[in-house]
Amino acid sequence: MKIGVFDSGLGGLTVLDALLDELPDHDYVYLGDTARAPYGNRPSQEVEGFTIEAVEFLVRQSCNIVIIACNTASSEALRVIQQQVVPAKFPEIKVLGVLIPSAEAVHEKHYQTVGVIGTVGTISSGAYEREIKKINHQTEVIVSACPNLAGLIESGSLDSKEVREELKICLAPIVEGGAEALILGCTHYPLAIKEIEAALPETVDIINSPESIARSFKSYLERHPEIASKISRFGSVQYFTSGSAKDFREQGCKFMKNKMDVVKWVKI
Ligand code: DGL
Protein backbone atom coordinates (compact mmCIF):
# COMPACT_ATOMS: atom_id res chain seq x y z
CA MET A 1 0.00 0.00 0.00
CA LYS A 2 1.06 3.61 -0.56
CA ILE A 3 0.62 7.12 0.82
CA GLY A 4 -1.60 9.28 -1.37
CA VAL A 5 -0.99 13.03 -1.49
CA PHE A 6 -3.61 15.19 -3.15
CA ASP A 7 -3.60 18.85 -4.12
CA SER A 8 -5.58 21.01 -6.50
CA GLY A 9 -2.38 21.48 -8.49
CA LEU A 10 1.32 21.89 -7.91
CA GLY A 11 1.32 23.46 -4.45
CA GLY A 12 0.98 20.14 -2.62
CA LEU A 13 4.43 19.26 -3.94
CA THR A 14 5.75 21.43 -1.06
CA VAL A 15 4.03 18.99 1.32
CA LEU A 16 5.29 15.94 -0.60
CA ASP A 17 8.81 17.42 -0.50
CA ALA A 18 8.65 17.78 3.30
CA LEU A 19 7.27 14.21 3.58
CA LEU A 20 10.16 12.91 1.48
CA ASP A 21 12.58 14.64 3.86
CA GLU A 22 10.93 13.04 6.93
CA LEU A 23 9.98 9.63 5.47
CA PRO A 24 12.12 9.05 2.36
CA ASP A 25 11.68 5.26 2.18
CA HIS A 26 7.90 5.14 1.92
CA ASP A 27 6.02 4.85 -1.36
CA TYR A 28 3.87 7.77 -2.49
CA VAL A 29 1.30 8.61 -5.15
CA TYR A 30 0.82 12.31 -5.83
CA LEU A 31 -2.24 13.65 -7.63
CA GLY A 32 -2.49 17.27 -8.76
CA ASP A 33 -5.84 18.24 -10.27
CA THR A 34 -4.18 20.96 -12.34
CA ALA A 35 -6.87 20.85 -15.07
CA ARG A 36 -9.44 22.14 -12.54
CA ALA A 37 -7.13 24.27 -10.36
CA PRO A 38 -7.29 26.73 -8.72
CA TYR A 39 -9.89 25.52 -6.22
CA GLY A 40 -9.62 28.62 -4.02
CA ASN A 41 -12.41 30.67 -5.61
CA ARG A 42 -14.74 27.75 -6.47
CA PRO A 43 -18.02 27.01 -4.64
CA SER A 44 -17.47 24.65 -1.72
CA GLN A 45 -19.77 21.92 -3.11
CA GLU A 46 -17.66 21.78 -6.25
CA VAL A 47 -14.45 21.51 -4.19
CA GLU A 48 -16.10 18.73 -2.19
CA GLY A 49 -17.04 16.77 -5.34
CA PHE A 50 -13.57 17.15 -6.88
CA THR A 51 -11.87 16.10 -3.65
CA ILE A 52 -14.04 12.97 -3.34
CA GLU A 53 -13.08 12.02 -6.92
CA ALA A 54 -9.40 12.55 -6.08
CA VAL A 55 -9.58 10.37 -2.96
CA GLU A 56 -11.34 7.64 -4.97
CA PHE A 57 -8.59 7.81 -7.60
CA LEU A 58 -5.84 7.50 -4.97
CA VAL A 59 -7.60 4.55 -3.33
CA ARG A 60 -7.65 2.86 -6.77
CA GLN A 61 -3.87 3.42 -6.92
CA SER A 62 -3.50 1.26 -3.77
CA CYS A 63 -3.22 4.04 -1.20
CA ASN A 64 -4.33 3.04 2.30
CA ILE A 65 -3.81 6.55 3.62
CA VAL A 66 -4.49 9.83 1.82
CA ILE A 67 -3.25 13.26 2.82
CA ILE A 68 -5.37 16.07 1.45
CA ALA A 69 -2.47 18.50 1.11
CA CYS A 70 -4.65 21.27 -0.30
CA ASN A 71 -5.79 23.67 2.43
CA THR A 72 -8.90 24.63 0.43
CA ALA A 73 -9.94 20.99 0.02
CA SER A 74 -9.07 20.20 3.66
CA SER A 75 -11.16 23.15 4.83
CA GLU A 76 -14.17 22.46 2.63
CA ALA A 77 -14.29 18.71 2.02
CA LEU A 78 -12.42 16.81 4.74
CA ARG A 79 -15.28 16.61 7.24
CA VAL A 80 -17.71 15.13 4.71
CA ILE A 81 -15.07 12.69 3.47
CA GLN A 82 -14.11 11.52 6.97
CA GLN A 83 -17.66 11.38 8.31
CA GLN A 84 -19.61 10.12 5.29
CA VAL A 85 -17.54 8.98 2.30
CA VAL A 86 -14.90 6.89 4.11
CA PRO A 87 -17.31 4.97 6.39
CA ALA A 88 -19.68 4.26 3.47
CA LYS A 89 -17.18 3.44 0.71
CA PHE A 90 -13.78 2.49 2.10
CA PRO A 91 -13.76 2.04 5.87
CA GLU A 92 -10.23 0.60 5.81
CA ILE A 93 -8.74 3.84 4.37
CA LYS A 94 -7.55 6.84 6.42
CA VAL A 95 -7.93 10.35 5.04
CA LEU A 96 -6.10 13.18 6.78
CA GLY A 97 -6.09 16.95 6.25
CA VAL A 98 -3.43 19.58 6.77
CA LEU A 99 -4.95 22.10 9.17
CA ILE A 100 -4.46 20.39 12.52
CA PRO A 101 -0.60 20.30 12.44
CA SER A 102 -0.48 24.11 12.09
CA ALA A 103 -3.12 24.54 14.79
CA GLU A 104 -1.01 22.32 17.06
CA ALA A 105 2.11 24.35 16.26
CA VAL A 106 0.28 27.48 17.52
CA HIS A 107 -0.49 25.72 20.77
CA GLU A 108 3.03 24.27 21.24
CA LYS A 109 4.60 27.73 20.91
CA HIS A 110 1.96 29.35 23.19
CA TYR A 111 1.07 32.09 20.70
CA GLN A 112 -1.87 34.14 21.91
CA THR A 113 -2.60 35.99 18.69
CA VAL A 114 -2.05 34.32 15.37
CA GLY A 115 -2.71 35.29 11.74
CA VAL A 116 -3.78 32.92 8.97
CA ILE A 117 -3.62 33.63 5.24
CA GLY A 118 -5.22 31.36 2.65
CA THR A 119 -7.49 31.20 -0.37
CA VAL A 120 -11.00 32.67 -0.28
CA GLY A 121 -12.42 29.14 0.19
CA THR A 122 -10.10 28.28 3.09
CA ILE A 123 -10.68 31.55 4.91
CA SER A 124 -14.45 31.71 4.41
CA SER A 125 -14.87 28.12 5.64
CA GLY A 126 -13.71 29.23 9.12
CA ALA A 127 -11.89 25.90 9.43
CA TYR A 128 -8.59 27.30 10.73
CA GLU A 129 -10.30 29.30 13.52
CA ARG A 130 -12.27 26.18 14.44
CA GLU A 131 -9.19 23.96 14.69
CA ILE A 132 -7.08 26.52 16.58
CA LYS A 133 -9.87 27.38 19.03
CA LYS A 134 -10.65 23.68 19.55
CA ILE A 135 -7.18 23.39 21.14
CA ASN A 136 -7.34 26.73 23.00
CA HIS A 137 -10.47 28.85 22.68
CA GLN A 138 -8.63 31.89 24.05
CA THR A 139 -6.25 32.14 21.10
CA GLU A 140 -7.08 35.17 18.99
CA VAL A 141 -7.15 34.27 15.29
CA ILE A 142 -6.96 36.94 12.57
CA VAL A 143 -7.75 35.50 9.16
CA SER A 144 -7.19 37.14 5.80
CA ALA A 145 -7.92 35.83 2.30
CA CYS A 146 -5.42 36.33 -0.53
CA PRO A 147 -7.60 35.85 -3.64
CA ASN A 148 -4.77 36.10 -6.19
CA LEU A 149 -1.63 34.97 -4.38
CA ALA A 150 -1.67 31.24 -5.25
CA GLY A 151 -2.29 32.05 -8.92
CA LEU A 152 0.53 34.63 -8.99
CA ILE A 153 2.92 32.13 -7.39
CA GLU A 154 1.90 29.34 -9.77
CA SER A 155 2.49 31.63 -12.73
CA GLY A 156 6.01 32.21 -11.46
CA SER A 157 5.77 35.96 -10.86
CA LEU A 158 7.20 35.96 -7.33
CA ASP A 159 9.40 39.01 -7.41
CA SER A 160 6.68 41.27 -8.78
CA LYS A 161 4.71 44.38 -7.91
CA GLU A 162 1.46 42.34 -7.96
CA VAL A 163 2.75 39.92 -5.30
CA ARG A 164 4.00 42.77 -3.10
CA GLU A 165 0.66 44.62 -3.44
CA GLU A 166 -1.39 41.50 -2.71
CA LEU A 167 0.74 40.72 0.36
CA LYS A 168 0.51 44.29 1.63
CA ILE A 169 -3.30 44.19 1.49
CA CYS A 170 -3.71 40.65 2.87
CA LEU A 171 -1.22 41.04 5.68
CA ALA A 172 -2.41 44.48 6.85
CA PRO A 173 -5.13 43.22 9.28
CA ILE A 174 -2.75 40.61 10.67
CA VAL A 175 0.05 43.12 11.27
CA GLU A 176 -2.36 45.73 12.69
CA GLY A 177 -3.92 43.08 14.94
CA GLY A 178 -0.52 42.38 16.53
CA ALA A 179 -0.18 38.72 15.50
CA GLU A 180 2.85 36.95 16.97
CA ALA A 181 2.85 34.30 14.25
CA LEU A 182 1.48 33.70 10.76
CA ILE A 183 0.19 30.40 9.39
CA LEU A 184 0.79 29.93 5.67
CA GLY A 185 -2.61 28.36 5.02
CA CYS A 186 -2.04 27.46 1.39
CA THR A 187 0.34 24.97 -0.20
CA HIS A 188 1.71 27.60 -2.57
CA TYR A 189 2.76 30.16 0.01
CA PRO A 190 6.03 28.53 1.20
CA LEU A 191 7.40 29.42 -2.22
CA ALA A 192 6.87 33.09 -1.43
CA ILE A 193 8.35 32.87 2.06
CA LYS A 194 11.00 35.52 1.34
CA GLU A 195 8.40 37.96 0.00
CA ILE A 196 6.10 37.23 2.98
CA GLU A 197 8.94 37.75 5.48
CA ALA A 198 9.80 41.04 3.81
CA ALA A 199 6.19 42.22 4.21
CA LEU A 200 6.02 41.37 7.93
CA PRO A 201 7.64 42.92 11.01
CA GLU A 202 10.64 40.82 12.14
CA THR A 203 8.83 39.93 15.36
CA VAL A 204 6.22 37.80 13.52
CA ASP A 205 7.15 34.09 13.32
CA ILE A 206 6.10 32.09 10.28
CA ILE A 207 4.51 28.68 10.80
CA ASN A 208 5.68 26.78 7.76
CA SER A 209 2.89 24.28 7.16
CA PRO A 210 4.67 21.59 5.06
CA GLU A 211 7.28 21.01 7.80
CA SER A 212 4.62 20.84 10.56
CA ILE A 213 2.50 18.50 8.41
CA ALA A 214 5.38 16.13 7.69
CA ARG A 215 6.47 15.95 11.37
CA SER A 216 2.92 15.39 12.51
CA PHE A 217 2.35 12.68 9.85
CA LYS A 218 5.52 10.86 10.94
CA SER A 219 4.31 10.86 14.52
CA TYR A 220 0.84 9.68 13.34
CA LEU A 221 2.42 6.64 11.66
CA GLU A 222 4.47 5.89 14.79
CA ARG A 223 1.22 5.90 16.80
CA HIS A 224 -0.58 3.74 14.19
CA PRO A 225 1.67 0.76 13.38
CA GLU A 226 -1.35 -1.11 11.96
CA ILE A 227 -1.41 1.47 9.11
CA ALA A 228 2.35 2.10 8.86
CA SER A 229 3.18 -1.60 8.54
CA LYS A 230 1.03 -1.88 5.38
CA ILE A 231 2.88 0.91 3.53
CA SER A 232 5.53 -0.41 1.14
CA ARG A 233 9.01 1.09 1.35
CA PHE A 234 10.79 1.21 -1.97
CA GLY A 235 11.24 4.99 -1.89
CA SER A 236 9.08 5.46 -4.98
CA VAL A 237 6.86 8.39 -6.00
CA GLN A 238 4.28 8.24 -8.81
CA TYR A 239 3.06 11.58 -10.10
CA PHE A 240 -0.34 12.06 -11.72
CA THR A 241 -1.93 15.20 -13.09
CA SER A 242 -5.28 15.90 -14.73
CA GLY A 243 -3.61 18.65 -16.79
CA SER A 244 -0.53 18.72 -19.01
CA ALA A 245 2.13 16.27 -17.77
CA LYS A 246 4.84 18.33 -19.49
CA ASP A 247 3.81 21.58 -17.74
CA PHE A 248 3.43 19.79 -14.43
CA ARG A 249 6.99 18.50 -14.60
CA GLU A 250 8.47 21.81 -15.76
CA GLN A 251 6.61 23.92 -13.18
CA GLY A 252 6.60 21.30 -10.40
CA CYS A 253 10.39 21.23 -10.08
CA LYS A 254 10.18 24.74 -8.54
CA PHE A 255 8.09 23.38 -5.68
CA MET A 256 10.54 20.63 -4.67
CA LYS A 257 14.15 20.15 -3.60
CA ASN A 258 13.76 16.40 -4.10
CA LYS A 259 14.02 15.15 -7.66
CA MET A 260 10.78 14.71 -9.59
CA ASP A 261 10.21 11.57 -11.65
CA VAL A 262 7.93 10.69 -14.58
CA VAL A 263 4.54 12.46 -14.58
CA LYS A 264 1.47 10.74 -16.02
CA TRP A 265 -1.73 12.34 -17.27
CA VAL A 266 -4.93 10.98 -15.81
CA LYS A 267 -8.65 11.62 -16.20
CA ILE A 268 -10.31 11.82 -12.81
N1 DGL B 1 -3.62 24.20 -3.15
C1 DGL B 1 -4.52 25.24 -2.73
C2 DGL B 1 -4.51 25.41 -1.20
O1 DGL B 1 -3.63 24.94 -0.52
C3 DGL B 1 -4.20 26.58 -3.35
C4 DGL B 1 -4.45 26.72 -4.81
C5 DGL B 1 -5.89 26.67 -5.23
O2 DGL B 1 -6.62 27.66 -5.09
O3 DGL B 1 -6.26 25.62 -5.74
O4 DGL B 1 -5.41 26.02 -0.69
Side-chain angles (χ1 to χ4, degrees):
M1 303 298 265
K2 293 166 189 166
I3 301 167
V5 181
F6 166 63
D7 185 56
S8 57
L10 299 166
L13 292 170
T14 56
V15 175
L16 176 67
D17 205 37
L19 288 166
L20 289 170
D21 289 344
E22 282 289 344
L23 299 161
D25 300 333
H26 293 62
D27 290 336
Y28 298 86
V29 182
Y30 182 93
L31 172 65
D33 189 10
T34 33
R36 301 189 293 196
Y39 280 11
N41 295 325
R42 287 185 181 273
S44 63
Q45 273 200 322
E46 201 168 37
V47 172
E48 199 180 286
F50 291 172
T51 309
I52 293 170
E53 286 172 1
V55 171
E56 287 172 344
F57 170 81
L58 288 167
V59 172
R60 290 199 297 277
Q61 302 308 309
S62 306
C63 296
N64 66 335
I65 185 153
V66 173
I67 302 172
I68 299 183
C70 177
N71 287 261
T72 311
S74 286
S75 302
E76 299 191 308
L78 184 67
R79 268 211 286 201
V80 169
I81 290 176
Q82 286 179 332
Q83 291 172 7
Q84 295 173 25
V85 180
V86 167
K89 286 191 167 176
F90 13 77
E92 69 293 356
I93 302 297
K94 287 278 171 245
V95 180
L96 307 176
V98 288
L99 272 53
I100 294 175
S102 299
E104 285 173 347
V106 171
H107 184 60
E108 277 158 26
K109 296 262 176 87
H110 307 289
Y111 296 121
Q112 282 164 12
T113 306
V114 67
V116 183
I117 51 171
T119 65
V120 172
T122 298
I123 297 305
S124 57
S125 74
Y128 264 106
E129 284 123 304
R130 231 176 8 250
E131 294 301 344
I132 294 168
K133 286 189 178 282
K134 220 187 265 175
I135 301 175
N136 181 358
H137 72 277
Q138 285 178 328
T139 310
E140 198 190 327
V141 187
I142 308 165
V143 296
S144 183
C146 307
N148 308 309
L149 191 54
L152 286 167
I153 293 170
E154 188 133 348
S155 68
S157 47
L158 270 180
D159 185 20
S160 67
K161 194 167 159 250
E162 286 103 312
V163 167
R164 283 190 290 276
E165 277 299 311
E166 172 99 345
L167 282 171
K168 202 171 146 198
I169 297 166
C170 300
L171 293 173
I174 291 168
V175 174
E176 281 156 24
E180 299 149 277
L182 174 73
I183 293 177
L184 306 184
C186 171
T187 49
H188 285 63
Y189 299 171
L191 261 83
I193 198 153
K194 273 199 219 129
E195 289 73 12
I196 294 171
E197 272 168 355
L200 285 173
E202 271 177 26
T203 49
V204 181
D205 296 336
I206 292 183
I207 298 175
N208 196 351
S209 308
E211 286 169 17
S212 315
I213 295 160
R215 275 198 305 273
S216 148
F217 182 66
K218 188 177 181 188
S219 129
Y220 179 90
L221 289 186
E222 281 161 6
R223 284 179 282 117
H224 293 89
E226 74 288 359
I227 298 169
S229 63
K230 290 189 189 140
I231 302 168
S232 52
R233 298 178 187 208
F234 297 104
S236 75
V237 188
Q238 290 169 277
Y239 296 88
F240 291 96
T241 174
S242 58
S244 151
K246 183 171 166 280
D247 291 353
F248 186 97
R249 202 164 190 289
E250 278 171 18
Q251 298 294 319
C253 296
K254 290 190 234 155
F255 289 73
M256 299 182 77
K257 298 180 303 302
N258 289 283
K259 207 174 132 278
M260 188 189 280
D261 227 328
V262 179
V263 180
K264 288 189 188 150
W265 174 83
V266 70
K267 172 140 181 52
I268 43 173

